[in-house]
């Protein structure tokens, strides 16, 4: 069942889980043998250290979901690369984000359907609480589609 709910893939091992009336917590460790440097795109196999991240995801059975993930930091082995040490990337959650992409997409849809104060209150009811400022930020960060005129330009 765990494979159905985690957005992070098979390179992560579930080492512990906790469940309470309000929250589900999953503790994961990365088991990758190598990683790609985000700056120079070269593969690195030299481990540096570990880094912990906490990421929230969509609720399950009306309970908040929190992932505690231990990621690996790597040495970049390319001498000309500006990044000497980097942390492996999560496809389901960009660097420095606290929410998964699917949770962000869900909140973005809510933010566009009502004002941000109401959307923030609804997000708490949905067990994915964020502030109204976060809702505004999601709206502002959404790219606007390029519109082309149906009329010819002269």
């Amino acid at each position: 069942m765990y494979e159905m709910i985690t957005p992070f893939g098979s390179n992560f091992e579930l080492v512990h889980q906790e469940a309470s009336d309000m929250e589900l917590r999953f503790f994961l460790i990365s088991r990758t043998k190598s990683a790609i440097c985000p700056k120079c795109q070269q593969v690195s196999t030299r481990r540096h250290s570990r880094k912990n991240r906490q990421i929230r995801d969509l609720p399950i059975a009306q309970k908040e979901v929190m992932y505690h993930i231990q990621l690996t930091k790597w040495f970049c082995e390319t001498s000309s690369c500006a990044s000497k040490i980097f942390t492996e990337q999560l496809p389901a959650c960009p660097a420095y984000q606290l929410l998964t992409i699917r949770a962000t997409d869900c909140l973005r849809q809510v933010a566009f359907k009502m004002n941000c104060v109401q959307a923030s209150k609804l997000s708490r009811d949905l067990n994915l609480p964020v502030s109204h400022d976060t809702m505004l930020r999601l709206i502002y960060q959404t790219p606007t589609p390029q519109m082309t005129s149906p009329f010819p330009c002269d």
Side-chain angles (χ1 to χ4, degrees), residues 38-102:
K39 299 262 195 233
C40 68
Q41 304 301 313
Q42 296 299 314
V43 176
S44 175
T45 57
R46 255 181 77 209
R47 283 193 174 98
H48 177 271
S49 59
R50 297 278 190 172
K51 176 185 178 174
N52 295 321
R53 279 185 73 183
Q54 293 182 20
I55 301 169
R56 285 189 313 183
D57 197 9
L58 292 174
I60 298 173
Q62 298 178 340
K63 295 182 181 186
E64 285 186 45
V65 174
M66 178 70 77
Y67 293 103
H68 298 268
I69 303 174
Q70 192 175 72
L71 296 170
T72 306
K73 293 180 91 170
W74 302 88
F75 286 106
C76 182
E77 297 171 343
T78 306
S79 59
S80 61
C81 183
S83 177
K84 299 300 177 200
I85 299 169
F86 65 93
T87 304
E88 67 183 299
Q89 303 295 305
L90 295 171
C93 185
Y96 306 107
Q97 297 286 323
L98 302 176
L99 297 168
T100 60
I101 292 172
R102 62 187 184 186

Side-chain angles (χ1 to χ4, degrees), residues 85-154:
I85 299 169
F86 65 93
T87 304
E88 67 183 299
Q89 303 295 305
L90 295 171
C93 185
Y96 306 107
Q97 297 286 323
L98 302 176
L99 297 168
T100 60
I101 292 172
R102 62 187 184 186
T104 302
D105 289 343
C106 178
L107 289 172
R108 181 175 287 115
Q109 290 178 12
V110 171
F112 273 104
K113 290 184 174 34
M114 57 184 64
N115 74 50
C116 291
V117 174
Q118 291 174 336
S120 175
K121 290 177 183 178
L122 180 61
S123 74
R124 275 186 244 121
D125 293 342
L126 296 173
N127 291 319
L128 192 58
V130 294
S131 69
H132 67 281
D133 288 332
T134 299
M135 290 292 190
L136 273 175
R137 199 173 305 114
L138 289 173
I139 290 172
Y140 288 135
Q141 290 173 348
T142 303
T144 55
Q146 294 295 325
M147 303 299 280
T148 57
S149 174
F151 302 106
C153 295
D154 290 330

